[in-house]
Amino acid sequence: MSNDSSSGRVAAELERWIDAANPGSKLPSTRALVARHGVSPVTVQQALRILVGRGRIETVPGVGTFTLAVRTARVTDFEWQTAALGAAHPLLPDAPLALQSPPESSIALHSGYPDRSLLPERLVRAAIGRAARSETVLSRPPSAGLPALRSWFATELTTVGAADVAAVTARDVVITPGSQGALVTVFRALVGAGRPLLIESPTYWGAILAARQAGVDLIPVPSSASGPDPVDVDRAFTETGARAFYIQTGFASPTGTVWPADRKQRILDLARTHRAFLIEDDAAHDFAIDETPIPLAAQDRDGHVVYLRSLTKSVAPGMRVAAIIARGPARDRLFADTQAEEMYVSGVLQEAALDVVTQPAWRTHLRRLAEQLGDRRDLLIDALTNHAPQVRVETPPRGGLNLWARLPDRTDLPDLISRCSRAGLIVGSGDEWFPAEAPGRHLRLNYAGPSPERYPEAARILAECLAR
Ligand SMILES: Cc1ncc(COP(=O)(O)O)c(C=O)c1O
């Protein structure tokens, strides 16, 4: 039995005891509970924490643990908040599907995160241990981030940069706690509420959310298997007067698209012509499988590209560190915004992240990860081909974590998703990735989650739910 279920069982038994006891009764000591329930002290502590959480007991340090009277809660009255809050923002969903935690027994293809078996766990644990013993625990790091980590991000970009592009320096880098917040910062500081932002369609749902949070006006630009058409981009810049375009040039979420080199160059030229920013989100940088795209930022001479690079998914979701790289006055605007928003990022996390990515074993890990992701991608594509022929993966991705799967046009997507969920398969609705109405029915299927051996079963469930 797992520790969690043991503590749940002890909590349930203790709750029966509490039901029969008077309020204020003292619980037996931890040692007595260990003996009575035949479990470890850790399990007893967990059970007690569960009961504290349920409001059944309270612990008085040095005295003991006591039962609490069951509260007879008055009916709450939140009506006053209706007037205080005003009209709801109609476009902000409260729980994007990609962040939901489904039951463990289900097959989860909806998440955007790699399974823990794909993380460099030993490197991360060792790095956290070292960082926890360092000075950073007790000190405030520089507001823009630890200089060594900023240099690492700068060097990574400079190394792949064109020869006629000035080296990126640590000063151009601002460390942030993840790139999601950085998106809000960039949209707020460089675009501003009520002003237009070009955005690929489909694109990362979190960027759509961040743009709405920043109040910017989204202008969708269709993006195909080779990125957005320069003619569309040119027209959108001209018609709207936009001065910024949010893009993903390498293994875009959700499609996995990599922009060809000449497309990148054309879009950079357009940014120069329209004197605009390109906000390049390179979230899948570490998930190359068959090719290693070079970010557009590496070709940018004059500060048109604002580059976002996150370590959340590749190092560990629990160690959320990212960087904004920007040059010129834009960098100062962005830095000022991050100061107002978060002041600085935990030095412990920064130091641990730097420790991980500077170990020789990190490179070995990324090479092995590429093989594992390639195998999983092929497995899921094969499973769909063999068991769900109605589902088409038009362009198998050459990196990233997801398949972008096209469904028959008449599919009722919400209905399909809830049928699948009832049958134990969790899939992400393609609709969440469109900044406007979706022109087709899609699912985003993550091949980096748990249990790849269940892909054939997942494909069969999907086919059955589609057939009904
Ligand atoms: C394309 C893209 N950008 C940004 C993010 C945000 O990542 P984080 O805030 O963890 O750095 C994600 C996460 O799913 C993503 O897929």
Side-chain angles (χ1 to χ4, degrees), residues 172-229:
D172 305 323
V173 181
V174 178
I175 303 297
T176 67
S179 52
Q180 183 61 35
L183 285 171
V184 180
T185 284
V186 177
F187 297 158
R188 188 167 49 203
L190 303 189
V191 183
R195 293 175 50 193
L197 168 71
L198 307 192
I199 191 159
E200 287 177 275
S201 176
T203 191
Y204 166 49
W205 60 265
I208 301 173
L209 221 60
R212 287 180 179 149
Q213 180 74 2
V216 308
D217 204 359
L218 286 180
I219 314 291
V221 177
S223 199
S224 69
S226 45
D229 184 333

Side-chain angles (χ1 to χ4, degrees), residues 3 21 34 57 65 113 153 156 167 205 218 232 251-252 308 350 390-391 406 424 426 450 457 459:
N3 219 26
V34 164
I57 58 171
T65 303
Y113 291 83
F153 278 114
E156 184 188 62
W205 60 265
L218 286 180
D232 288 336
F251 312 133
L308 304 181
Q350 294 190 58
Q390 315 96 305
V391 180
R406 179 87 194 237
I426 315 296
E457 184 188 343

Side-chain angles (χ1 to χ4, degrees), residues 112-116 118-121 123-124 152 156 282-287 309-317 319 321 356-357 362 365-366 369 373 401:
Y113 291 83
D115 182 49
R116 62 180 290 175
L118 298 173
L119 299 174
E121 182 171 341
L123 279 179
V124 168
W152 181 84
E156 184 188 62
D282 199 10
H285 185 92
D286 293 321
F287 303 128
R309 166 84 165 96
S310 172
L311 297 175
T312 300
K313 295 188 186 191
S314 51
V315 170
M319 223 159 75
V321 169
V356 171
V357 296
W362 169 244
H365 164 76
L366 289 181
L369 178 62
L373 289 176
L401 306 178

